[in-house]
Amino acid sequence: AQSVTQLDSHVSVSEGTPVLLRCNYSSSYSPSLFWYVQHPNKGLQLLLKYTSAATLVKGINGFEAEFKKSETSFHLTKPSAHMSDAAEYFCVVSPTNFGNEKLTFGTGTRLTIIP
Amino acid sequence: ETGVTQSPTHLIKTRGQQVTLRCSSQSGHNTVSWYQQALGQGPQFIFQYYREEENGRGNFPPRFSGLQFPNYSSELNVNALELDDSALYLCASQLIGAPGANVLTFGAGSRLTVL
């Protein structure tokens, strides 16, 4: 069984300040982990993925995440928030790399950027 | 390279009716998955189709059914609609058998309202 817990349903930061979105996971396997972003009326877009290579993963738009097995965490960070980062963010776990297993999504974190 | 397209974007039905949602996969992808996203929740896996066969199913009743066509496009059918079926339905495609097979490309979704 696998599950994902996003620790904050809503995060607000000022433009230009760091962003931290927290995610803890549970999986019986060595999982693949992802962060997806959802802008209003847009499809889910992949920000980054971890698949058992480097534990620090760099994604698009300046986002990165660190896989910490001992803490079962995969937190998403960005050094400096931009207004265009306002969106819903989902932490996602998959038990394999093969693509034939379902993705399990967290409940999402809504990121608000204060001008 | 075209992305994943879904139709219709919005629709309204009444309880007991039936609905068909359509999805065109990203060019070159051979697998389609459907997810249901209720308001304020993360997407939930409905099922996946690979080579025109159902290749995994989430915790959804049989009145949720699907098809995949030889051109890899797909349909989601829901019979006997209930109020709780109101949600955003997301289609995602991927290429199983290639590197990065577990990275999905999502469409923008079809928003279904059941009255």
Side-chain angles (χ1 to χ4, degrees):
Chain A
Q2 56 188 21
S3 66
V4 169
T5 302
Q6 292 186 242
L7 299 171
D8 306 290
S9 59
H10 195 176
V11 170
S12 294
V13 301
S14 297
E15 189 176 16
T17 65
V19 174
L20 170 64
L21 305 183
R22 299 182 295 165
C23 171
N24 287 347
Y25 71 92
S26 173
S27 177
S28 303
Y29 307 93
S30 295
S32 293
L33 292 160
F34 311 81
W35 278 96
Y36 279 84
V37 61
Q38 187 175 39
H39 288 94
N41 302 315
K42 296 277 184 70
L44 288 157
Q45 181 185 19
L46 179 69
L47 280 178
L48 51 80
K49 66 175 182 176
Y50 165 79
T51 54
S52 74
T55 57
L56 183 62
V57 182
K58 294 188 183 299
I60 62 171
N61 301 333
F63 285 94
E64 63 181 39
E66 186 171 8
F67 175 74
K68 291 187 177 181
K69 187 174 181 179
S70 61
E71 299 176 8
T72 60
S73 69
F74 190 59
H75 301 335
L76 182 70
T77 60
K78 182 173 181 177
S80 177
H82 190 271
M83 293 301 294
S84 61
D85 295 329
E88 189 86 19
Y89 291 78
F90 292 96
C91 183
V92 183
V93 63
S94 171
T96 72
N97 291 332
F98 304 125
N100 57 348
E101 299 281 350
K102 69 173 185 177
L103 301 183
T104 299
F105 284 74
T107 53
T109 298
R110 179 165 298 277
L111 177 63
T112 299
I113 310 298
I114 303 166
Chain B
E1 176 182 282
T2 58
V4 176
T5 57
Q6 293 185 241
S7 63
T9 54
H10 295 82
L11 70 166
I12 300 173
K13 294 285 188 177
T14 57
R15 273 189 308 176
Q17 284 189 313
Q18 179 266 343
V19 67
T20 297
L21 307 178
R22 295 178 175 83
C23 172
S24 293
S25 305
Q26 179 167 309
S27 176
H29 284 184
N30 59 10
T31 303
V32 172
S33 300
W34 286 90
Y35 287 77
Q36 181 196 64
Q37 185 178 13
L39 198 62
Q41 300 295 317
Q44 300 286 320
F45 175 73
I46 303 175
F47 43 55
Q48 181 187 80
Y49 276 81
Y50 173 63
R51 293 183 174 178
E52 302 177 50
E53 297 284 335
E54 188 177 289
N55 186 42
R57 188 178 185 93
N59 188 26
F60 281 83
R63 59 189 185 84
F64 285 78
S65 63
L67 286 172
Q68 186 185 30
F69 300 100
N71 66 353
Y72 304 120
S73 66
S74 177
E75 287 182 355
L76 165 65
N77 298 288
V78 187
N79 294 322
L81 284 168
E82 301 176 359
L83 296 180
D84 284 348
D85 296 333
S86 296
L88 180 67
Y89 288 85
L90 296 165
C91 173
S93 71
Q94 65 193 118
L95 178 59
I96 286 184
N102 62 351
V103 175
L104 275 60
T105 301
F106 283 85
S110 294
R111 184 164 298 283
L112 171 64
T113 301
V114 182
L115 302 176

